């Protein structure tokens, strides 16, 4: 699974976004250490604080399937170039990074950008 394929799946996932309040669709697709992929989209709620981000939706599916190590995640929004994960999602990704770290893949017309989670979340909290 190369990173462009991962991004293509994130783009597909964004089409299922339920975002009637913000109108900001997001899709995410992650790759685990074992080579499996899991996708998610954001889904909002009339009680705004209940909204779940695309990244945490995808992470939840991976965890529910027994996966614990995430190598990479592609994130896409039709509303924004280089849609980076919010602070909460960065911390949740930090929990499940591999020993080698975790690649965060974003995109614009110029192509894919690969950022290390350790760059996006320096000194993330760990117990
Ligand atoms: N959102 C995500 O899905 N991922 C992020 O990392 C940032 C924000 C969603 C939440 C909400 O539905 C919409 O984008 C606007 O904040």
């Amino acid at each position: 699974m190369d990173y462009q394929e991962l991004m293509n799946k994130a783009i597909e996932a964004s089409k299922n976004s339920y975002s009637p309040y913000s109108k900001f669709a997001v899709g995410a697709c992650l790759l685990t250490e074992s080579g499996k992929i899991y996708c998610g989209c954001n889904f909002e709620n009339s009680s705004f604080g209940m909204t779940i981000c695309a990244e945490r939706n995808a992470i939840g599916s991976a965890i529910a399937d027994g996966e614990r190590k995430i190598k990479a995640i592609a994130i896409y929004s039709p509303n924004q170039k280089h849609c980076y994960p919010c602070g909460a999602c960065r911390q949740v990704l930090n929990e499940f990074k591999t020993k080698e770290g975790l690649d965060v893949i974003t995109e614009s017309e110029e192509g894919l950008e690969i950022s290390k989670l350790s760059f996006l979340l320096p000194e993330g909290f760990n117990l």
Side-chain angles (χ1 to χ4, degrees):
M1 170 70 52
D2 73 22
Y3 284 174
Q4 185 58 58
E5 277 181 76
L6 213 59
M7 179 57 73
N8 292 346
K9 290 184 186 294
I11 292 169
E12 278 307 304
S14 75
K15 295 177 185 165
N16 291 328
S17 165
Y18 177 74
S19 41
Y21 306 106
S22 72
K23 313 254 190 291
F24 193 94
V26 186
C29 185
L30 65 81
L31 174 67
T32 66
E33 201 164 50
S34 62
K36 290 188 173 171
I37 60 160
Y38 299 87
C39 295
C41 60
N42 58 330
F43 60 101
E44 300 183 343
N45 193 273
S46 55
S47 176
F48 296 160
M50 305 304 288
T51 288
I52 302 290
C53 291
E55 297 90 323
R56 275 177 288 156
N57 188 4
I59 294 164
S61 294
I63 297 307
D65 202 31
E67 297 295 316
R68 292 292 184 268
K69 293 291 171 202
I70 300 171
K71 271 178 77 168
I73 186 165
I75 305 161
Y76 174 81
S77 174
N79 304 62
Q80 192 174 75
K81 291 180 189 177
H82 295 298
C83 183
Y84 292 106
C86 75
C89 288
R90 291 178 199 203
Q91 179 62 32
V92 175
L93 286 167
N94 183 61
E95 187 78 20
F96 301 112
K97 62 184 186 278
T98 69
K99 222 182 289 154
E100 293 74 36
L102 191 158
D103 289 339
V104 175
I105 305 145
T106 61
E107 69 91 58
S108 73
E109 307 82 64
E110 282 109 69
L112 300 183
E113 185 179 271
I114 300 166
S115 310
K116 295 285 175 200
L117 180 65
S118 57
F119 174 77
L120 297 176
L121 184 73
E123 307 298 342
F125 181 74
N126 296 288
L127 279 181

